[in-house]
Amino acid sequence: MTTTEAVTADATEAPSTFDSLNPATGEVVGTHPIHDAAHVQACVAEARVQAEWWRDLGFDGRKKELGRWRALMTRRMDDLAAVMSAETGKPKGDALLEISLAIDHLAWAPAHAPKVLGRQKVSPGLLMANQAASVAYRPMGVVGVIGPWNYPVFTPMGSIAYALAAGNAVVFKPSEYTPGVGVWLAETFLEAVGRPVLQVVTGFGATGGALCGAGVDKLAFTGSAPTGKKVMAACAETLTPVIIEAGGKDALLVADDADIAAAAEAALWGACGNAGQTCVGVERVYVDERVYDDFVTELVEQAKQVKAGPGEQVGPITMPKQMDTIKRHIDDALARGGRALVGGADAVGERFVQPTVLVDVPEDSAAIKEETFGPTVTVTKVADMDEAVRLANDTTYGLGSTVFSAKQGMEIAEKLRAGMTAINGVISFAGIPNLPFGGIGDSGFGRIHGPDGLKEFTYAHAIARQRMKPVLALTTFKRTAKAEKQLTRIVGALYGRGGKKG
Ligand code: NAD
C-alpha cells in the first residue's frame, strides 16, 4: 500500500486508474490511481499533522532524517534509474546523472538551512537604537509540488528537498507520464523516515488542480507556461502563493575568441541531451560571423555521430503529442528558407527524433520563437556579440543561457536577460547547489536551489525587542512637542544634507 492509499483508505471510494507507458516501446510499466479532490484534501490534512512533527524536529533533526533518505536513495540509485528509464525512455546514464545531482541538492539543503533560515540579528538603525532586531525564516506548513516528466527526479526535488529542509511537509503530484517515479520517492521517504511527511498523489491535470485548491500554504509548479497560468489562476482563488518554473528558449552565444570544438560539443549536448526535452536545453545558437563556418563544420561533424533510437545516446520523445510540435517547427523552418545540415524533415519518426541542425532560419519562425522540446537546434550567423545578445534576448522566455568566449564571457553574460548563464560550459549552473535556479517572463518566477530556494518555502518572522527606554518617546500619546522637534532635527542632520544636483 502506498503512503497516500494508507492515508485515505476509507476517506474516498477506490479511485479509477491510469497506465504509465514506456515511450520507447509503448509497453505498460505501471498502473496508478487517479486521485480525486477528496483524496488530495485528505492528503493535505494528513500533511498538516505531519508538518508539526517535522517542524518541531528542528534543523538538526530534519538534517538527520533527510540524511537517512539521501543515503537510501543513493544505495538504490540503480533501482530509481530503472523506473525513470522505463517511464521516460531516457538512457540509464542520463538517469544516473540526474539522480546524482538531485542527491547533491538533498545534501546541501538541510546542511545550509540553519545558517540561511535560522534567527539572525540585524541592525536596528540609528533611530531605533534602543531595540534589538532579528529575523528568522519559518516553514510555511504544507507545500504542494506539481512536477513535469522530463527530469522527473531532479526538477521536483529542487522544490521537495528545499521545502522539506525548510521544515515543511510536502504533497507531490508528479506528471502523469512519470507517476512511478513520484511513488518511488514517497515510498523511500517513508521507509527512511517512518512518517509520511512527503506524500504523493497521482493523476492528470485535474489532480494537480485539486492540489492548488486544497489549502496548501504554497504551491511550487514546474511545467509549461500555459499550465503555469492555469495553476496561478487556481491558486489565486485562495491567495495561495506560487512558484512557477516554466519553459525556455535558451540561446548559446559563440564569440570569435571561443574554443570552437568545445562550443560545438556543448551546443550538441545542450540541444540533444535528454532528446532535447530540457527546460534549460540549448534551442538557438548565435555565432560570430568570423567563426561561423568553423563552428557549423564542427557541429555538423559531431552531430552526425549521435543517433536516436533504442540503446542509442538519444532516447525517445516521452510525450507522443510533442512529435507534432517538433515536426511543425522543422517543416516551418525549411518552408521559410531554412536548411537542415543534419536531420531535417525525415528526422521525426514514430517514437524517436534524429538530431537536427538547422541554419538560415528566419528569426520570426516557430523554431526560433517557440519552445521545441526536441533534439533540434538553429544556428544563426551574427555580426558581433552585441547582435547575438540582442537576438538572444528577443524572446518572451528568460530561463537559462550559455556563452562561449575566452575573454568576454562575463561581459556578455551580464547583458543577457535570463535567470542563469553558463560560461564555457553548458547547464553547469543547475548542478551548483549554492546557485538559485529559475527564470523571468514566460519562464516563470521564484527560485529553487541555493539560499533563495530555501527562503522560497518560508515566511520571514521579524522581532524587535526593546533593550532600553528610547531617548525620544514617540510611539505614545504622551509624546511631547519637544520630542517631535528633536526628531525633526535628528532626521534633518542624518538625511537632509547633500543630494543636490550640480
Ligand atoms: P505540463 O505543463 O503539461 O504539466 C506539468 C504538470 O502540471 C503535470 O504534472 C500535469 O499533470 C500538471 N497539470 C496539468 N494541468 C494542470 C492544471 N490545470 N492544474 C494543475 N496542474 C496541472 O508540462 P510537462 O509537459 O509535464 O513539462 C514540460 C514543460 O516543463 C516544458 O515547458 C519545460 O520547459 C518545463 N520545465 C521547466 C523546468 C524549470 O525548472 N523551469 C524544469 C523542467 C521542465
Side-chain angles (χ1 to χ4, degrees):
M1 195 154 54
T2 66
T3 314
T4 49
E5 281 161 354
V7 166
T8 58
D10 46 17
T12 57
E13 285 174 23
S16 52
T17 61
F18 69 107
D19 290 335
S20 159
L21 307 176
N22 183 328
T25 60
E27 142 206 29
V28 175
V29 295
T31 301
H32 300 271
I34 301 171
H35 287 129
D36 61 9
H39 181 99
V40 174
Q41 272 166 18
C43 288
V44 172
E46 172 65 20
R48 209 157 282 295
V49 175
Q50 298 301 332
E52 275 188 39
W53 173 75
W54 188 245
R55 181 199 59 206
D56 292 346
L57 283 182
F59 291 119
D60 286 348
R62 290 195 292 270
K63 187 176 163 203
K64 223 175 271 168
E65 298 296 339
L66 290 174
R68 271 194 257 276
W69 187 33
R70 191 199 66 227
L72 182 64
M73 202 185 284
T74 308
R75 288 197 298 275
R76 299 214 190 129
M77 266 171 94
D78 278 341
D79 186 24
L80 178 56
V83 181
M84 291 161 76
S85 292
E87 290 197 320
T88 64
K90 69 174 70 192
K92 193 178 170 199
D94 286 358
L96 289 172
L97 171 63
E98 184 182 336
I99 300 167
S100 304
L101 292 178
I103 287 173
D104 202 24
H105 281 279
L106 183 55
W108 191 92
H112 290 78
K115 186 154 182 252
V116 177
L117 306 177
R119 190 158 291 282
Q120 289 156 37
K121 282 187 191 159
V122 296
S123 163
L126 271 176
L127 290 179
M128 304 293 274
N130 66 314
Q131 304 281 333
S134 68
V135 61
Y137 295 86
R138 294 170 162 181
M140 304 194 75
V142 179
V143 171
V145 175
I146 297 178
W149 48 265
N150 60 336
Y151 288 90
V153 171
F154 179 73
T155 293
M157 283 297 285
S159 294
I160 293 170
Y162 287 77
L164 288 170
N168 303 279
V170 173
V171 179
F172 172 36
K173 149 65 181 96
S175 164
E176 51 271 40
Y177 292 96
T178 53
V181 174
V183 170
W184 192 98
L185 291 174
E187 285 184 346
T188 51
F189 183 94
L190 188 62
E191 187 179 334
V193 176
R195 293 181 70 145
V197 182
L198 168 65
Q199 298 174 78
V200 67
V201 292
T202 52
F204 298 88
T207 306
L211 187 56
C212 297
V216 293
D217 299 294
K218 185 142 190 175
L219 196 291
F221 168 81
T222 308
S224 63
T227 310
K229 290 176 190 170
K230 288 186 201 161
V231 164
M232 211 174 151
C235 287
E237 295 290 322
T238 46
L239 219 59
T240 302
V242 291
I243 304 171
I244 304 288
E245 296 286 356
K249 190 69 191 173
D250 292 4
L252 181 148
L253 285 65
V254 185
D256 64 347
D257 64 345
D259 176 337
I260 298 301
E265 193 179 351
L268 184 62
W269 192 79
C272 300
N274 206 37
Q277 305 164 112
T278 303
C279 53
V280 286
V282 174
E283 299 222 348
R284 304 175 288 153
V285 179
Y286 295 104
V287 191
D288 188 300
E289 61 187 7
R290 281 159 283 204
V291 291
Y292 177 82
D293 290 341
D294 289 350
F295 176 84
V296 170
T297 304
E298 183 71 40
L299 178 63
V300 166
E301 207 166 286
Q302 292 189 27
K304 282 184 174 159
Q305 316 298 318
V306 177
K307 297 277 172 262
E312 299 286 357
Q313 286 161 301
V314 177
I317 297 303
T318 306
M319 224 174 27
K321 68 173 189 250
Q322 197 62 24
M323 288 293 193
D324 296 342
T325 305
I326 300 168
K327 181 143 180 43
R328 179 169 59 79
H329 287 192
I330 296 174
D331 289 349
D332 177 60
L334 297 179
R336 300 182 58 199
R339 293 180 296 129
L341 301 183
V342 182
D346 301 335
V348 182
E350 203 185 320
R351 297 183 191 279
F352 293 86
V353 176
Q354 298 304 326
T356 293
V357 177
L358 297 164
V359 295
D360 303 336
V361 180
E363 277 299 303
D364 61 351
S365 69
I368 299 262
K369 288 285 174 225
E370 298 171 26
E371 187 179 47
T372 306
F373 234 49
T376 68
V377 66
T378 62
V379 186
T380 305
K381 191 192 291 187
V382 291
D384 51 30
M385 283 298 100
D386 283 345
E387 188 184 7
V389 166
R390 185 174 58 74
L391 294 176
N393 287 346
D394 186 16
T395 170
T396 58
Y397 291 109
L399 195 55
S401 52
T402 311
V403 177
F404 269 81
S405 169
K407 296 215 175 91
Q408 315 152 57
M410 281 304 287
E411 190 190 326
I412 299 166
E414 296 283 12
K415 295 178 187 160
L416 289 170
R417 179 187 168 274
M420 300 151 292
T421 304
I423 300 175
N424 296 333
V426 68
I427 317 184
S428 41
F429 42 76
I432 300 174
N434 253 310
L435 285 177
F437 185 103
I440 57 164
D442 284 349
S443 296
F445 51 83
R447 291 293 181 267
I448 54 171
H449 302 174
D452 301 72
L454 281 167
K455 283 189 182 164
E456 195 72 60
F457 298 103
T458 63
Y459 69 96
H461 180 236
I463 296 182
R465 179 177 59 81
Q466 179 157 306
R467 290 186 300 123
M468 60 181 96
K469 283 202 168 164
V471 181
L472 296 178
L474 297 166
T475 53
T476 166
F477 290 115
K478 293 180 188 154
R479 191 171 60 203
T480 61
K482 189 175 163 206
E484 285 173 4
K485 210 165 166 193
Q486 277 176 320
L487 173 69
T488 323
R489 210 176 303 137
I490 293 169
V491 173
L494 282 174
Y495 304 116
R497 276 178 250 156
K500 283 186 193 146
K501 272 197 175 169

